[in-house]
Amino acid sequence: QDQLVESGGGLVQAGGSLKLSCTTSGFTFSSNNMGWFRQAPGKEREFVGAINWRGDTTRYDGSVKGRFAISRVNAKNTVYLQMNSLKPEDTAIYYCAKKPTEGLSEHYYEYNAWGQGTQVTVSS
């Protein structure tokens, strides 16, 4: 059973920072690319960023590039999302997901397991 559990969400003022964690089990973490997505009420799931299996390549959506950073520690089966300079429009539920195939994809359907999400709320 693949398991991904996000944590670290909460309330933060605009301009502040949060660091999300996604701890995984049930699969070979170091063989999977990992992605972060988010979903706000009434909107579709949106790609945030991704990191390759080795942790030396990342990809970000233009809306977060320069503000967010993804990293991973394979020995801990954990991927992180550091969020800086947060804006109210970043408010959403944030999800991590695994992608067993090569390539860093923005398409949610290429990911085959998801966490339950963690709420991030940015006040203006």
Side-chain angles (χ1 to χ4, degrees):
Q1 178 74 30
D2 298 340
Q3 187 171 1
L4 302 84
V5 181
E6 302 93 338
S7 62
L11 300 171
V12 64
Q13 293 180 282
S17 298
L18 283 174
K19 187 174 184 177
L20 307 183
S21 298
C22 173
T23 301
T24 71
S25 61
F27 63 94
T28 305
F29 179 78
S30 60
S31 296
N32 282 260
N33 298 330
M34 300 296 297
W36 285 95
F37 291 77
R38 64 187 181 185
Q39 189 164 25
K43 299 186 68 177
E44 65 182 10
R45 186 167 20 183
E46 178 186 37
F47 175 73
V48 176
I51 188 167
N52 75 329
W53 63 272
R54 189 154 54 191
D56 60 355
T57 304
T58 54
R59 177 181 178 181
Y60 301 95
D61 182 78
S63 65
V64 306
K65 190 174 183 179
R67 299 189 297 121
F68 292 10
I70 299 173
S71 61
R72 67 192 293 165
V73 179
N74 285 348
K76 296 182 178 180
N77 296 331
T78 300
V79 61
Y80 304 93
L81 179 65
Q82 177 67 52
M83 304 184 294
N84 301 317
S85 301
L86 283 162
K87 305 174 181 179
E89 50 263 46
D90 295 319
T91 295
I93 301 175
Y94 283 71
Y95 301 90
C96 64
K98 65 185 283 284
K99 182 177 183 291
T101 55
E102 67 179 83
L104 301 183
S105 178
E106 64 182 352
H107 304 300
Y108 69 89
Y109 50 82
E110 296 189 40
Y111 295 77
N112 66 358
W114 297 80
Q116 84 291 339
T118 185
Q119 177 72 48
V120 172
T121 302
V122 184
S123 61
S124 60

